[in-house]
Amino acid sequence: MKSAFIYLFLVTCCWALPFKQTGFLDFMMEEEGGSGLVPVTKKPPIFSPIPGPDGPICPFRCQCHLRVVQCSDLGLKNIPENLPGETTLLDLQNNKIAEIRENDFKTLKGLHALILVNNLITTIHAKAFMPLGKLQRLYLSKNLLKEMPTNMPKSLQELRIHENLIAKIKKASFQGMAQVIVMELGSNPLKSSGIESGAFSDLKRVSYIRIADTNITEVPKGLPTSLSELHLDGNKITKVQADRLKGLKNLAKLGLSYNEISVVENGTLSMVPHLRELHLDYNVLTSVPPGLPEHKYIQVIYLHSNKIAAVGPEDFCPPSYNTKKAMYSGISLFSNPVPYWEVPPVTFRCVFDRSAIQLGNYRKK
Ligand SMILES: *[C@@H]1O[C@H](CO)[C@@H](O)[C@H](O)[C@H]1NC(C)=O
Ligand SMILES: *[C@@H]1O[C@H](CO)[C@@H](O)[C@H](O)[C@H]1NC(C)=O
């Protein structure tokens, strides 16, 4: 049991960024495989598929294997009853569940992962998640939720709730959720005014936040200092305010592609001293953002498809050599009004691999 626990922990921490949903089946296989120390075929089934007098029962039409209860794609309208108490993973994706009732998860005290993606959920009872004291992963994407669920387990490490109808994130929404590492909130009808100040401040361990394809117009306030990736692509952000990134000393990737950004304030880059990748492509910048020559670690800067009309020799590189510790591995400037022949070659004097630079041509559409 101990080795299985360690294995699960490893799976969690090594589940490679960028945390794409696609690895889900692999993850189930990994869970089923247990520690890998015991051959799977020799493991006894943990609950019998034959209903005993009062033993655990595999719900009708679901498949139960080891501690995984698989009830996806069955047209279910409700959470099955009498779910086996030992279940660690419950998969209910692609059903027609509209409501989660108070006692639906009452027996599932050991559940680690709950997958409810692609249902019709509009209502979750305020106490429904309370029995799930061990839940680490909660996947609620592609539903019809108008509000963030309440009383989510404090043990949660990963919350995916993109493609819902959530317009507000309150400070209480994530209260005490100090174990969360991954948070995916994209494709919800969020506006900046709908995100309460300090909404993320309890997420002391969070390393990945994605709020893409919403209507927010600003970088949210009070982001936790543990953050290493922040993905805010496809929003309506018009300006990057330096103070919004204050204290984000662990931030390595910042995605701001497909916004309406015309200004990156002076001092923004010095707030994020360990940034390696900055994506600002598909915005309306008229100049290269300030602070790149002084930044020690930036390696990738995407600026293509903006309105940059001039690039100067001090825009990317420090005046003297050896002050930049990391080298650029990607600079993109194509699809800007600046003609590439007007960019002086000395601009890229600190870039040693010429193939890292994509200048290209600007084509008027
Ligand atoms: C953003 O606002 C527009 C206009 O009000 C609306 O049509 C669109 O659906 C909103 N986007 C999201 C993701 O809610
Ligand atoms: C930003 O900093 C540069 C160089 O220090 C300075 O020339 C420029 O005026 C500043 N811009 C603003 C808006 O403060």
Side-chain angles (χ1 to χ4, degrees), residues 13-20 181-182 207-208 228-229 253:
C13 71
C14 306
W15 216 27
L17 296 170
F19 297 99
K20 289 263 156 62
I181 299 168
V182 175
S207 111
Y208 177 102
S228 74
E229 288 194 33
K253 288 190 186 176

Side-chain angles (χ1 to χ4, degrees), residues 265-267 290:
E265 278 184 1
N266 269 353

Side-chain angles (χ1 to χ4, degrees), residues 67-319:
R67 295 170 182 208
V68 174
V69 175
Q70 165 66 260
C71 308
S72 62
D73 305 274
L74 293 175
L76 299 177
K77 294 197 171 144
N78 283 303
I79 310 278
E81 286 177 19
N82 297 320
L83 287 160
E86 301 89 341
T87 308
T88 55
L89 190 154
L90 174 58
D91 182 6
L92 287 161
Q93 65 184 307
N94 310 329
N95 281 297
K96 299 202 156 46
I97 298 165
E99 187 187 354
I100 308 226
R101 296 159 302 186
E102 179 169 6
N103 294 319
D104 278 346
F105 304 126
K106 183 177 68 190
T107 56
L108 301 177
K109 303 223 178 336
L111 199 69
H112 287 179
L114 175 58
I115 293 99
L116 288 160
V117 175
N118 198 25
N119 275 281
L120 303 167
I121 303 170
T122 53
T123 318
I124 298 179
H125 191 280
K127 293 181 178 165
F129 291 138
M130 285 174 81
L132 305 175
K134 298 235 167 83
L135 197 70
Q136 294 174 359
R137 297 184 183 145
L138 177 57
Y139 297 176
L140 283 164
S141 307
K142 300 192 188 193
N143 278 291
L144 304 168
L145 291 170
K146 290 195 172 149
E147 284 177 25
M148 205 50 88
T150 48
N151 296 312
M152 283 186 282
K154 306 277 184 272
S155 52
L156 217 58
Q157 294 179 7
E158 186 174 341
L159 174 65
R160 293 178 174 273
I161 194 159
H162 57 299
E163 292 184 59
N164 274 282
L165 303 170
I166 297 168
K168 283 202 164 69
I169 299 179
K170 297 176 189 152
K171 185 155 168 51
S173 300
F174 305 138
Q175 206 155 33
M177 290 172 62
Q179 303 302 317
V180 173
I181 299 168
V182 175
M183 188 153 278
E184 162 62 275
L185 305 169
S187 302
N188 275 295
L190 283 167
K191 294 181 185 167
S192 284
S193 57
I195 303 182
E196 271 184 22
S197 176
F200 301 104
S201 62
D202 275 13
L203 308 173
K204 303 276 187 235
R205 276 183 73 194
V206 72
S207 111
Y208 177 102
I209 293 181
R210 184 165 181 270
I211 311 174
D213 305 313
T214 74
N215 277 334
I216 60 169
T217 49
E218 298 172 2
V219 175
K221 285 180 201 150
L223 292 165
T225 57
S226 54
L227 212 53
S228 74
E229 288 194 33
L230 178 59
H231 296 270
L232 298 172
D233 312 86
N235 290 303
K236 306 254 159 41
I237 298 170
T238 54
K239 181 182 186 181
V240 183
Q241 294 157 281
D243 68 324
R244 296 298 163 91
L245 302 178
K246 197 172 180 178
L248 300 187
K249 57 187 189 314
N250 297 301
L251 198 70
K253 288 190 186 176
L254 177 56
L256 288 163
S257 311
Y258 294 95
N259 275 282
E260 294 162 12
I261 298 166
S262 60
V263 180
V264 175
E265 278 184 1
N266 269 353
T268 298
L269 280 170
S270 58
M271 296 291 181
V272 283
H274 289 102
L275 197 69
R276 280 159 214 276
E277 282 196 30
L278 177 56
H279 296 190
L280 281 163
D281 46 300
Y282 294 94
N283 278 289
V284 289
L285 294 169
T286 53
S287 57
V288 175
L292 288 169
E294 298 80 34
H295 201 281
K296 295 263 191 297
Y297 293 102
I298 198 118
Q299 290 170 16
V300 174
I301 169 110
Y302 288 165
L303 293 168
H304 57 273
S305 302
N306 274 280
K307 294 192 172 3
I308 299 169
V311 175
E314 310 301 326
D315 280 351
F316 291 94
C317 295

